[in-house]
Structures are given as C-alpha cells and as structure tokens.
Amino acid sequence: MDTIKDGSPVLFHFNHSKKWLTRISETESLHTHLGVIKHADAIGKEYGSRLVTNKDKYVYLLKPTMYDYIMKLQHGTQIVYPKDLGYIVARAGIESGHKILEIGTGSGSLTSFVAGVVKPKGHVYTFDVDEKFIKIAEKNILRAGVSKYVTMHNQDIKTTEEMPLEEMDVALVDLGDPWTVLPQVRKMLKSSGAFFAICPTMNQLEKLTMALVENEFTDIESTEHILRTIEAREGKTRHSFQGIGHTAYLCHARKAYFGREQAKPAAQD
C-alpha cells in the first residue's frame, strides 16, 4: 500500500478546476473555499483516499503525475502543454536512455516531461540565455523530481563555435527564430536524429521549413493540435465550453544527407 508520509507530494483534488499541488508537512494547513485542509490528516492515508474538511467538503488525495506538475508550473514563459508534449515524444521516438538537446529552456515544462521519459539512463541537456528563466525552470524541474536527469547551461548556442555536445538522439528547439541554430543543431545530432521546433506563428513555420531543407533535413512535418474536452454526464453529455485551443505549431524533421557536392573549380588550360 502506497501511504502518504510527512514530505510526500500530494494533489488535493476536488474537481478539474479546483486542485492544489503541495508537499505534506504535518504542521501546515491549506485554507480554501472548501474549508481547511490539514496536512496532518493526510499522513498515514493511502493515495486515492478522501479527506473531509472542517466545512464537511471533501478532496481526494492523489499522487501527482508529470501532467500535474506541468500544469502547476511557475510560468516565466509560455509553457509547452501536455497535448503537444505527448505528440513530440511519440513522433520523435523519445525513449529511456536517449540523450536530448534542448535549446530554449523556458519554464521547464518540456524539459521536465522529456527527462521523465528518458530517465534513468538518459539525460536532457538544456540551454537558455536568460538567467531569470533558468532560475524559474530550475525550481520547476526540481519540484517535478527530475533534476538528476537534467543539465542546465546558461549559454547562447547561436554564437557557439565549438559544439558542447555530440551524438544527440533528439534536438528540441523553443526559440522565436529556430532556423538560426540549425547549423549548430545539425553538428550535435546523430545521423537521422530527430528535430522538433515549437513555433507560435505560421510565418516562423514557413521560414523554418525552408531553412531545414537548406540544412539537409528530411521527413519535415508541421502540425497543430487542438484539445476539446467532453462533459460526460448521464443524459446530457456535450462538448465543454472550455478547452485548450491553439498553443503552438510543431515542426518535426530528421537529419539526413542530400548528397550535395561542392562545385569543382573549372580546369585551367
């Protein structure tokens, strides 16, 4: 039986819009509109149990998943949402043991999710130029419990001459101008390695696609993922009025060799 202890992570869950992610401390209480939730009352209970507040309301004590951590991240930048994260991992074939290059750490949602997939033998090497975002991401990655599998760098890959990594399985780029790092990414990716970029606009997507061809990438595919939830209730199931629509465009590609040869100088008489 998986019981809750002092220091255990817990998601106090009432419904999809009212839930609180915390770490249990026997001396603390959470004050909500549902009443006071005493941490000490959760200690010794099994995950999945129901806890009743002083207002006779209840919350379920759930074990947090990576989805919960991502949706409760401290935002420094726009995060990559689970509806996009799952597709990135599936399309790129990311699995345990892979070495991942990430350029543009942001708030660390993509970093955390991918680290949870590649552990325990894989690793994520992430780069960002903004120290403020790096500090926020570091806290989020630590809270998600995957910091052991992440190495963070405060470095601008665009201006890097000597590549810090090699033979990366997958490269993930979340920049406003992802085409600017393609030469560097290509050098660090292994043969046939996958590339993914997160693009907010179609203009960026178009410019990136042209640059991918120029830098000898193939299997280029651009997608958008819309999530619509369903309110399933007896006799009155319908589409939810709330949902996550457009968040970003995703661009996938793979490193290839086009067989281009430099033009040979004309023979001189």
Side-chain angles (χ1 to χ4, degrees):
M1 185 171 65
D2 197 358
T3 57
I4 298 168
K5 305 176 182 63
D6 188 26
S8 296
V10 167
L11 181 73
F12 295 121
H13 183 277
F14 181 69
N15 59 30
H16 72 279
S17 63
K18 297 178 178 64
K19 47 190 173 183
W20 301 268
L21 180 60
T22 189
R23 190 167 291 277
I24 294 298
S25 172
E26 61 180 351
T27 61
E28 293 185 12
S29 297
L30 181 65
H31 294 260
T32 76
H33 67 289
L34 300 173
V36 178
I37 303 172
K38 295 182 178 180
H39 285 209
D41 291 344
I43 295 175
K45 291 185 179 293
E46 185 179 1
Y47 279 111
S49 300
R50 193 163 73 170
L51 188 151
V52 180
T53 73
N54 64 327
K55 289 187 177 181
D56 205 30
K57 302 291 184 180
Y58 62 86
V59 293
Y60 290 100
L61 309 173
L62 304 182
K63 191 169 188 176
T65 65
M66 186 58 71
Y67 173 89
D68 298 318
Y69 286 116
I70 289 170
M71 297 307 292
K72 292 294 185 180
L73 283 179
Q74 177 186 353
H75 292 200
T77 60
Q78 175 71 27
I79 70 168
V80 182
Y81 282 90
K83 70 182 182 66
D84 297 321
L85 293 172
Y87 181 78
I88 290 172
V89 168
R91 185 68 172 89
I94 298 174
E95 58 188 46
S96 178
H98 274 182
K99 295 188 297 180
I100 310 297
L101 163 66
E102 182 186 39
I103 303 175
T105 311
S107 297
S109 65
L110 181 57
T111 320
S112 299
F113 186 81
V114 172
V117 175
V118 302
K119 68 176 189 180
K121 295 184 179 180
H123 204 83
V124 179
Y125 302 87
T126 185
F127 295 78
D128 206 295
V129 297
D130 194 313
E131 290 187 9
K132 180 181 68 175
F133 293 153
I134 289 175
K135 289 179 181 179
I136 292 173
E138 189 173 21
K139 292 179 182 177
N140 289 330
I141 293 166
L142 179 64
R143 190 184 189 197
V146 292
S147 56
K148 180 180 178 180
Y149 312 103
V150 177
T151 299
M152 306 184 74
H153 298 271
N154 182 201
Q155 183 177 348
D156 189 355
I157 291 296
K158 296 178 185 178
T159 59
T160 299
E161 295 183 2
E162 185 175 345
M163 297 303 104
L165 301 168
E166 61 181 8
E167 292 294 303
M168 294 290 104
D169 292 288
V170 178
L172 307 172
V173 179
D174 190 0
L175 298 175
D177 51 359
W179 51 86
T180 61
V181 296
L182 283 179
Q184 293 88 339
V185 167
R186 182 176 177 82
K187 291 175 183 177
M188 289 186 276
L189 266 182
K190 71 178 186 181
S191 300
S192 189
F195 166 92
F196 249 108
I198 293 92
C199 295
T201 72
M202 284 192 173
N203 290 339
Q204 293 166 312
L205 205 59
E206 182 176 327
K207 192 168 183 178
L208 172 61
T209 300
M210 295 170 64
L212 283 167
V213 174
E214 181 62 28
N215 284 273
E216 299 189 52
F217 283 81
T218 191
D219 193 16
I220 301 171
E221 178 189 71
S222 298
T223 58
E224 179 187 23
H225 304 268
I226 304 297
L227 178 67
R228 182 168 66 177
T229 56
I230 307 298
E231 297 288 347
R233 294 173 293 181
E234 185 177 2
K236 47 183 178 179
T237 295
R238 59 167 175 79
H239 298 135
S240 173
F241 294 125
Q242 296 180 338
I244 300 175
H246 172 75
T247 50
Y249 300 109
L250 304 180
C251 185
H252 168 273
R254 297 192 210 187
K255 177 180 175 180
Y257 300 94
F258 287 8
R260 295 171 178 167
E261 294 182 3
Q262 293 183 346
K264 296 180 180 181
Q268 297 182 354
D269 296 332

